[in-house]
Amino acid sequence: MQHTVQRLLIGIIVLAAWQSPIHAQAWASDDRLISIGVLTITSKEEAQARWNPTADYLSDRIKGTRFEIRPLYLQEVARAVRQNELHFVHLQPLQFVQLRADYGLEALATRVVNGAGSPSNRFGSVIVRLAGRDEINDLADLQGAIVAGVAPNALGAWILGAEEIERAGLSIENDILPLYVGLPMSNVLGAVAAGRADAGIVRADVLTREIEAGRYTAETFSVLNRVSEPGYPHALSSRLVPQWPLAATTRTAPALRQQVRSALLSMPTDSAPLLAANLSGWSEPVDYGDLEALADRWLTPPVDMVDWFRAHWWVVPVGLSALLSLLLWQQWRARRLLAQREREHRAALTAMHDAVVTLDGEGRIQFPNPSAERLLPEGMQSVEAVGQRLTDVFALMLRHDTHDFSLAGMIEQLATRSWVEYAVILAHGHPRRVLNLTAARMDDVADLGEVRRLVVSMMDITELDETSRQLAYRATHDELTGLLTRRHFLDQVESRMQPTDAERSGEGGTLLWVDLDHFRLVNEGGSHRMGDELVRRLAGYLRVMLPPNTPVGRLGGDEFGIYLAASAGDDWPERVLHAIRDFRLDGDDRALRTSASIGVREVAADGGYNAATVLEEAESACVTAQKLGGNRLVGFEESAGERSLRQTDFAELNRLKQAVEQDRFVLHAQEIHAIGAAETDGVRLEVLIRLAGENGQLGSPAPLIELAERFNYMPQIDRWVVRRTLQTLRDHLIAGSPPMRLTINLSGQSMEDGELVGFVRDTLQHYEIDPTCLCFEITETAAIANFDQAVELIASLRDLGCLVALDDFGGGLISFEFLRRLKPDIVKIDGKLVCDLEHDRVAAVIVESIHDVARVMGAQTVGEWVETPATLAQLERIGVDFVQGYLLHRPESLVERLAAERPVLAG
């Protein structure tokens, strides 16, 4: 600490002495060295190469001088001018007028840029949006929009456009969301084209250059607030401002200024300096006076501490004694607080990328970091927030609940846990922000109890949440029309038709399949664009005229599905037919009319329907309507036998749902035994289900399972099995129990359940079960039929820590290529092949091949349906790792089988 104090004092003394005027050192040669500072927005090497020919040109024209180029970044230019290090400087207009007012710069010439064959010493900005965004027609429509630019201090790629937006009555700070994408300026156009921004601001010549280069077409973007300036060749949205000047500093003599000015204005248009600088020439300096107000509005003068000390050097000796005393006092105080603060700082620093506040035991704010200050209510300063309760400063609401966030509840949970996490919404401010709030104790977590200090981090996930919602919308809605996709429409119809529970029937209604007549002629006689416009406009028309909350889906190019609730009335099919018949699309000096063939399928309220089947029946009726000439309704007629079969299925489906709701399914288990040299990590059981009848007798659930597959109810049964298996395992695991692995079968329909993996993860966490205790089986046939989903499901389950087995391999297509790509942990050989081992040599060769391939892949093999000693011996000879079957163990209650492990432990 003493060495630090000494170094600081020496530095201060040197700084105090550094106040005498700086004199330029004389150049050793006969020529004077003249420095030209050049603002660069790329690399300094590129700027050096671009402007060195200009320096050489001036050195040749002005005898006795030697010009050098000093490439400088924005802050370096300002510092060099303030310290009077340059003779001339070439810089952007706003910075010029800012430094001219303070340091007396004089513009000698303005550069001329060639654009679209028309040289100009002025430039402007263009505000663009994507051509398809018809909801944005003028600048006032940008309220709440994301507007892209290069940087907040970029004149052509932000400030000029922002000035026009404010003239339209919007506030840059409150009404739009800026998105700064950095250089090059083409990044702005890329953000708009990719949909990351609703509009963008670039220099007008940049848009022209990008179109001429073929990166975009003239129809890609639409220009907002289009204005015209005589002689200016580019599309324009703002006023024109002067190009960059070359200015002289106060260090430069008047004679040298005039010589440089004359040399620049007389520079030939085809000279090497202009070609290297990519300019058309230099003009007389234009008037930069109009930019002063713009600089005052948009630029904040930088504060340089070195300059401040140079201007106020007398403060140093006056405050030296006080500073030394303060540093010495801080030294002994820091030693005393170091141990106490170290743990607090570590806890706070873990979340410093997000908004972080520290609280005392009663939830009062002690310290908000800068990110947290940006989340404070408008007008509140951080000093006002300190000492207030967290919920009095931040208006927090639980994201998936209707209640306010409870600070007391959070502190109560931390009394027994080291950290807690919530999804919350920050209600104040606009727009509302979605936050992931994490709270952790700052005191000794090993001594749980009263909370004395805690740290709260709030990660802003608003953009991630919005992106997720947009992706979810795109997955369920047609891109052209905004109607439901076919799959989501079927899900909506299924939910309307099916009973809400086992006691109540579903909602009756009418399903319409609508097919536009002669739509092919629209595409061929007009254009595909006209066809798309017809479909899009008609879809919007249907949504407006139909009753609220009516599911409407796009089933094909010109085909729509509509499900009308029974409560809407009986006349809606006729009304839809007449509405389409009366619909007219105006355009191209003609009115386009259309008609439709509509298939009608009445759905009774007694339930028992399958949405896919009902849709096919409505489509069949629609085909009949087309054959009769179109422009009509045709209803589907259900036979008495079909109605009876459907009602029977409905009764059985109710029975199935009652079995799930009343827990009438019973879990059984069959042992999986290791044979030969196979090593096992404990008891292995395959979980099976049995159905308990009303008399208590157990029976096979196969008929109901077949029905569940037809009505897409298997995912609910699979979830019931997973939840009940883990609950049973948790209830029977005791301290010191041996390793145990349970295998659960998954249906093919569950592979299409995108939320299954999340359900498994949450259930494992709820029952505190090690994921390695679970193995999931999927059949070969189901895996091949849903191959992409199977690959994704296997990878996700493995990420959780679970194993995956491929069941009944060899009973389906037996493709070793699929086996190679699926990469299961376990391959279960189909039982029919295993049973044929004793009398079929081909079966033996197939089983041996499956085992050899699995062994090369690093997977274990299981032989199923082992019922004779000869079959067991054959499998052991082949080298199969595990076997299961009635020879070794008949299925028994899972609860009883797990309970049987306890005496083994006791012994």
Side-chain angles (χ1 to χ4, degrees):
M1 184 68 182
Q2 292 175 347
H3 294 297
T4 303
V5 173
Q6 291 173 356
R7 286 194 295 268
L8 180 60
L9 293 178
I10 292 172
I12 293 172
I13 293 171
V14 170
L15 186 60
W18 184 35
Q19 302 307 319
S20 58
I22 300 175
H23 300 284
Q25 181 180 359
W27 186 251
S29 68
D30 295 333
D31 294 337
R32 288 180 300 158
L33 181 63
I34 306 299
S35 296
I36 304 178
V38 176
L39 172 62
T40 176
I41 57 177
T42 56
S43 68
K44 291 188 176 182
E45 292 77 11
E46 181 179 342
Q48 193 85 49
R50 182 181 179 187
W51 293 101
N52 271 343
T54 299
D56 296 337
Y57 171 84
L58 293 174
S59 298
D60 293 337
R61 292 291 300 271
I62 303 173
K63 301 304 180 182
T65 60
R66 177 183 173 184
F67 287 79
E68 69 167 2
I69 298 297
R70 286 186 55 186
L72 301 169
Y73 293 122
L74 191 65
Q75 295 301 326
E76 293 177 330
V77 169
R79 185 179 301 110
V81 171
R82 286 196 299 269
Q83 296 179 3
N84 206 23
E85 298 173 0
L86 305 172
H87 296 85
F88 300 92
V89 60
H90 184 44
L91 70 174
Q92 60 117 310
L94 280 189
Q95 192 181 28
F96 164 71
V97 298
Q98 192 178 44
L99 295 177
R100 179 177 67 177
D102 295 331
Y103 302 99
L105 297 185
E106 178 188 5
L108 303 180
T110 298
R111 73 184 189 184
V112 179
V113 177
N114 183 31
S118 177
S120 175
N121 60 2
R122 298 186 299 166
F123 70 93
S125 294
V126 63
I127 307 172
V128 300
R129 52 91 166 163
L130 208 58
R133 298 293 299 276
D134 295 334
E135 72 275 14
I136 302 176
N137 293 315
D138 53 40
L139 297 184
D141 294 334
L142 293 178
Q143 181 158 10
I146 299 174
V147 180
V150 168
N153 61 355
L155 178 58
W158 182 254
I159 294 176
L160 290 178
E163 182 183 47
E164 296 301 322
I165 292 174
E166 290 201 331
R167 283 201 184 101
L170 300 182
S171 168
I172 297 298
E173 291 79 13
N174 301 320
D175 293 331
I176 69 169
L177 298 175
L179 174 65
Y180 300 121
V181 297
L183 291 167
M185 292 187 190
S186 58
N187 289 347
V188 176
L189 299 176
V192 176
R196 294 191 293 116
D198 302 302
I201 303 171
V202 295
R203 279 179 50 150
D205 56 325
V206 172
L207 176 61
T208 302
R209 186 169 61 247
E210 292 294 298
I211 293 175
E212 290 175 349
R215 298 184 182 91
Y216 304 101
T217 67
E219 291 77 27
T220 303
F221 303 104
S222 294
V223 176
L224 301 177
N225 195 48
R226 184 183 288 269
V227 297
S228 62
E229 286 284 344
Y232 192 69
H234 308 291
L236 195 63
S237 300
S238 73
R239 59 172 169 146
L240 294 179
V241 295
Q243 286 280 0
W244 292 25
L246 189 138
T249 68
T250 56
R251 184 177 178 182
T252 310
L256 182 58
R257 296 186 188 195
Q258 184 59 38
Q259 289 176 307
V260 170
R261 174 188 175 123
S262 299
L264 291 177
L265 296 179
S266 62
M267 187 179 293
T269 56
D270 58 349
S271 62
L274 291 180
L275 294 176
N278 197 23
L279 300 179
S280 293
W282 296 89
S283 73
E284 291 287 345
V286 297
D287 184 12
Y288 292 89
D290 290 342
L291 296 181
E292 293 177 356
L294 206 60
D296 294 339
R297 166 65 178 88
W298 295 98
L299 296 185
T300 302
V303 178
D304 192 296
M305 294 303 296
V306 174
D307 288 346
W308 187 91
F309 272 114
R310 293 182 64 191
H312 304 84
W313 61 269
W314 49 269
V315 175
V316 176
V318 172
L320 186 59
S321 299
L323 177 62
L324 180 59
S325 300
L326 177 62
L327 291 174
L328 293 175
W329 177 77
Q330 287 281 9
Q331 180 181 7
W332 68 263
R333 184 174 180 271
R335 288 177 179 175
R336 184 167 63 93
L337 297 177
L338 183 60
Q340 176 183 348
R341 296 295 185 189
E342 182 179 5
R343 184 171 58 252
E344 298 174 356
H345 289 168
R346 288 180 180 177
L349 288 175
T350 56
M352 286 304 291
H353 291 295
D354 305 317
V356 179
V357 294
T358 57
L359 311 177
D360 62 15
E362 296 182 0
R364 289 188 293 265
I365 297 175
Q366 294 182 327
F367 166 75
N369 76 339
S371 296
E373 293 175 5
R374 289 192 286 270
L375 296 181
L376 293 174
E378 185 176 358
M380 177 178 284
Q381 302 297 321
S382 59
V383 292
E384 302 176 56
V386 174
Q388 297 192 52
R389 290 168 58 86
L390 177 70
T391 48
D392 292 338
V393 174
F394 298 98
L396 301 176
M397 298 176 59
L398 294 175
R399 182 182 175 193
H400 301 296
D401 204 337
T402 57
H403 300 88
D404 290 342
F405 170 77
S406 173
L407 178 61
M410 181 186 74
I411 296 176
E412 183 179 348
Q413 289 193 58
L414 287 174
T416 57
R417 302 173 60 181
S418 59
W419 64 276
V420 291
E421 188 173 18
Y422 301 90
V424 299
I425 293 176
L426 183 64
H428 66 247
H430 180 77
R432 291 188 175 189
R433 314 302 295 175
V434 182
L435 306 176
N436 187 24
L437 185 147
T438 303
R441 299 177 62 123
M442 295 179 66
D443 46 20
D444 191 355
V445 296
D447 184 22
L448 295 178
E450 181 183 0
V451 180
R452 295 185 295 273
R453 296 284 303 282
L454 62 150
V455 59
V456 175
S457 71
M458 294 174 284
M459 181 172 65
D460 191 340
I461 58 171
T462 305
E463 293 184 3
L464 177 62
D465 179 70
E466 177 63 21
T467 300
S468 299
R469 289 194 295 109
Q470 290 180 1
L471 290 176
Y473 180 85
R474 292 175 182 175
T476 57
H477 290 75
D478 177 59
E479 182 177 0
L480 175 65
T481 63
L483 301 181
L484 302 177
T485 61
R486 183 188 185 105
R487 178 172 178 178
H488 196 55
F489 175 73
L490 276 175
D491 291 341
Q492 291 284 314
V493 174
E494 187 80 37
S495 65
R496 301 290 180 96
M497 294 192 309
Q498 294 303 324
T500 54
D501 54 44
E503 301 297 330
R504 294 190 295 174
S505 62
E507 176 186 352
T510 304
L511 180 64
L512 305 183
W513 181 291
V514 180
D515 193 342
L516 301 184
D517 296 330
H518 313 301
F519 183 75
R520 179 174 58 84
L521 297 180
V522 176
N523 284 332
E524 294 178 355
S527 66
H528 286 283
R529 182 187 62 79
M530 181 180 293
D532 288 345
E533 184 65 14
L534 173 63
V535 170
R536 187 183 67 82
R537 294 278 296 277
L538 182 59
Y541 181 57
L542 290 175
R543 280 187 296 188
V544 171
M545 67 157 294
L546 290 170
N549 301 320
T550 297
V552 184
R554 187 183 183 193
L555 308 179
D558 62 333
E559 298 164 328
F560 305 94
I562 303 172
Y563 186 79
L564 296 160
S567 58
D570 299 331
D571 62 339
W572 272 105
E574 284 285 348
R575 292 170 66 178
V576 171
L577 179 67
H578 288 295
I580 296 175
R581 185 183 299 160
D582 297 338
F583 175 79
R584 184 178 70 180
L585 177 64
D586 296 321
D588 298 333
D589 299 328
R590 59 177 176 169
L592 179 65
R593 295 181 178 274
T594 186
S595 62
S597 301
I598 302 179
V600 183
R601 176 62 164 100
E602 298 291 344
V603 178
D606 58 356
Y609 293 98
N610 178 275
T613 302
V614 170
L615 191 63
E616 290 175 0
E617 293 167 349
E619 181 184 14
S620 174
C622 179
V623 171
T624 302
Q626 289 175 320
K627 291 179 179 178
L628 294 175
N631 193 20
R632 68 188 65 227
L633 298 170
V634 172
F636 176 81
E637 298 295 335
E638 184 180 34
S639 67
E642 291 172 334
R643 185 180 302 107
S644 175
L645 180 60
R646 176 176 53 78
Q647 291 173 345
T648 300
D649 284 346
F650 174 61
E652 289 299 308
L653 182 62
N654 274 345
R655 181 181 167 219
L656 173 64
K657 293 183 177 181
Q658 286 179 344
V660 173
E661 293 170 2
Q662 299 172 6
D663 284 338
R664 295 212 331 260
F665 283 111
V666 178
L667 296 182
H668 273 50
Q670 185 178 43
E671 296 176 359
I672 301 174
H673 287 258
I675 60 174
E679 297 182 0
T680 180
D681 51 1
V683 177
R684 296 189 178 212
L685 303 172
E686 179 178 355
V687 177
L688 309 170
I689 59 172
R690 298 290 183 266
L691 179 62
E694 296 180 359
N695 57 2
Q697 295 293 322
L698 297 180
S700 171
L704 288 183
I705 296 298
E706 180 182 351
L707 184 70
E709 289 177 341
R710 283 201 288 122
F711 283 89
N712 295 313
Y713 198 70
M714 277 307 300
Q716 288 87 334
I717 296 178
D718 288 345
R719 290 188 178 214
W720 182 91
V721 173
V722 171
R723 183 170 53 250
R724 184 50 57 90
T725 298
L726 294 181
Q727 180 184 359
T728 304
L729 183 59
R730 192 274 312 271
D731 292 343
H732 289 82
L733 282 178
I734 58 175
S737 60
M740 182 176 299
R741 177 168 293 142
L742 302 183
T743 299
I744 298 175
N745 291 276
L746 293 178
S747 66
Q749 293 173 2
S750 285
M751 276 186 261
E752 299 181 8
D753 183 0
E755 299 178 355
L756 175 65
V757 175
F759 169 79
V760 172
R761 179 180 59 248
D762 294 342
T763 308
L764 285 168
Q765 293 176 351
H766 177 76
Y767 291 111
E768 299 180 343
I769 299 297
D770 185 354
T772 59
C773 293
L774 280 191
C775 177
F776 289 94
E777 289 187 10
I778 57 177
T779 65
E780 174 198 12
T781 304
I784 294 176
N786 305 275
F787 184 75
D788 292 336
Q789 294 93 330
V791 171
E792 183 177 353
L793 178 64
I794 290 174
S796 300
L797 291 173
R798 278 179 164 173
D799 289 341
L800 292 182
C802 304
L803 296 183
V804 179
L806 190 61
D807 195 15
D808 295 338
F809 189 78
L813 297 178
I814 193 167
S815 170
F816 286 118
E817 171 61 15
F818 283 114
L819 181 64
R820 181 182 69 85
R821 293 169 63 185
L822 287 172
K823 299 177 182 178
D825 301 291
I826 299 170
V827 178
K828 300 192 73 172
I829 303 171
D830 182 61
K832 294 186 290 295
L833 281 174
V834 173
C835 289
D836 291 342
L837 280 176
E838 297 181 43
H839 52 80
D840 189 342
R841 295 181 59 188
V842 175
V845 172
I846 293 175
V847 171
E848 192 165 354
S849 299
I850 294 173
H851 173 69
D852 290 342
V853 172
R855 182 175 56 189
V856 172
M857 293 173 53
Q860 296 178 317
T861 52
V862 178
E864 301 183 290
W865 294 15
V866 178
E867 299 180 357
T868 66
T871 301
L872 177 62
Q874 188 85 333
L875 290 172
E876 190 170 3
R877 181 192 63 78
I878 293 174
V880 172
D881 302 299
F882 298 90
V883 294
Q884 68 179 110
Y886 282 4
L887 175 66
L888 303 167
H889 180 243
R890 287 186 172 273
E892 61 178 308
S893 167
L894 177 62
V895 173
E896 296 176 1
R897 181 61 187 83
L898 293 177
E901 293 298 309
R902 295 189 180 184
V904 175
L905 292 177

